[in-house]
Structure formats: C-alpha cells, structure tokens
C-alpha cells in the first residue's frame, strides 16, 4: 500500500465489500484505491449529498492532479468553474458552500481521493 506518510492514525471506510484505508481526517491512504463508490461513501459519512456540480469538481480535481501531479489551487478551480458555470456559481463562496467541510481544497480533495499535503492545515 502506498500509504500517506503524514497520517497519524489509519481509519477504514466501508465501500461495498471493501474497507478502504484513510487517515484520521478521511483522506485516502492509497490513491489507487479511489472509486466513485469511495466518494459516495465518504460523502454519506460527511452528511453531504453529491450533486452533478460536486461530481464536476471531483473530476476536475482528479484530472488536474493526474495532469500536473499536484493539487489544484482554489484560484485555478475558480477560473475554470467561472467559465463553465458563470460568475454566479464559479466563485470561491459557492465552492465553499457546496463543500462545507473545508471547501474544495480540503473536502473536495478528500472526496476526489487526493491526499492532503504536508503543509496543509
């Protein structure tokens, strides 16, 4: 397993018949184990109902990570979603409204199966 070197504790999230290892905050330990089922299970645990907009952000985060090998910065997300959704929804406030537990940078990354970086609080 490619574990998160910054994890203090390992917890497990039930996804179908599998248990997926997460750190104490819900960030996936092995990013190769991510699935849409993982995102759904974690969202349920965090009392979040995933909408089409959530999925657009989740897939944007995953695609950005796979292309650039780093987490997407919020300003890049805002720029992208302003083009896609318009200024009413393509803004920092709206992204934080739909991801109420840490915004797209934290909750979005958790749901997308992108691990927390060392410097992230």
């Amino acid at each position: 397993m490619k574990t998160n070197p910054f994890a203090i504790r390992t917890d497990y999230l039930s996804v179908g018949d599998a248990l997926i290892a997460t750190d104490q905050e819900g960030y996936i330990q092995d990013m190769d184990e991510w699935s849409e089922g993982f995102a759904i299970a974690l969202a349920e645990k965090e009392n979040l109902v995933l909408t089409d907009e959530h999925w657009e952000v989740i897939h944007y985060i995953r695609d950005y990570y796979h292309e650039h090998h780093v987490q997407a910065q919020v300003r890049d997300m805002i720029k992208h979603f302003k083009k896609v959704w318009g200024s009413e929804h393509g803004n920092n406030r709206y992204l934080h409204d739909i991801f109420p537990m840490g915004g797209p940078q934290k909750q979005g990354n958790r749901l997308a199966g992108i691990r927390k970086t060392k410097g992230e609080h």
Side-chain angles (χ1 to χ4, degrees), residues 4 6 23-25 27 71-72 101-110 114-121:
N4 178 356
F6 309 115
D23 70 6
Q24 65 281 356
E25 295 177 72
Y27 288 91
Q71 294 177 350
M101 293 179 65
Q105 193 73 26
K106 291 186 181 190
Q107 189 172 30
N109 282 340
R110 281 195 305 273
I114 305 301
R115 290 197 303 231
K116 175 173 141 174
T117 61
K118 182 178 181 182
E120 187 179 322
H121 303 302

Side-chain angles (χ1 to χ4, degrees), residues 5-92:
F6 309 115
I8 296 169
R9 177 182 82 237
T10 300
D11 291 332
Y12 293 90
L13 182 66
S14 180
V15 179
D17 294 336
L19 290 176
I20 305 297
T22 68
D23 70 6
Q24 65 281 356
E25 295 177 72
Y27 288 91
I28 200 164
Q29 289 278 47
D30 183 346
M31 293 192 306
D32 292 337
E33 292 186 337
W34 183 88
S35 67
E36 289 190 355
F38 173 85
I40 292 167
L42 184 59
E44 286 176 6
K45 183 178 179 182
E46 295 183 355
N47 297 312
L48 184 67
V49 176
L50 295 177
T51 65
D52 289 343
E53 288 178 334
H54 288 103
W55 284 112
E56 285 183 56
V57 175
I58 289 167
H59 288 293
Y60 172 84
I61 290 169
R62 291 189 59 75
D63 292 346
Y64 190 98
Y65 183 84
H66 289 295
E67 184 177 336
H68 302 282
H69 306 288
V70 296
Q71 294 177 350
Q73 294 183 10
V74 175
R75 70 174 163 247
D76 292 333
M77 286 187 229
I78 292 168
K79 185 177 179 181
H80 172 81
F81 288 107
K82 186 177 242 179
K83 288 179 187 174
V84 174
W85 296 340
S87 58
E88 184 178 337
H89 286 170
N91 60 61
N92 191 45

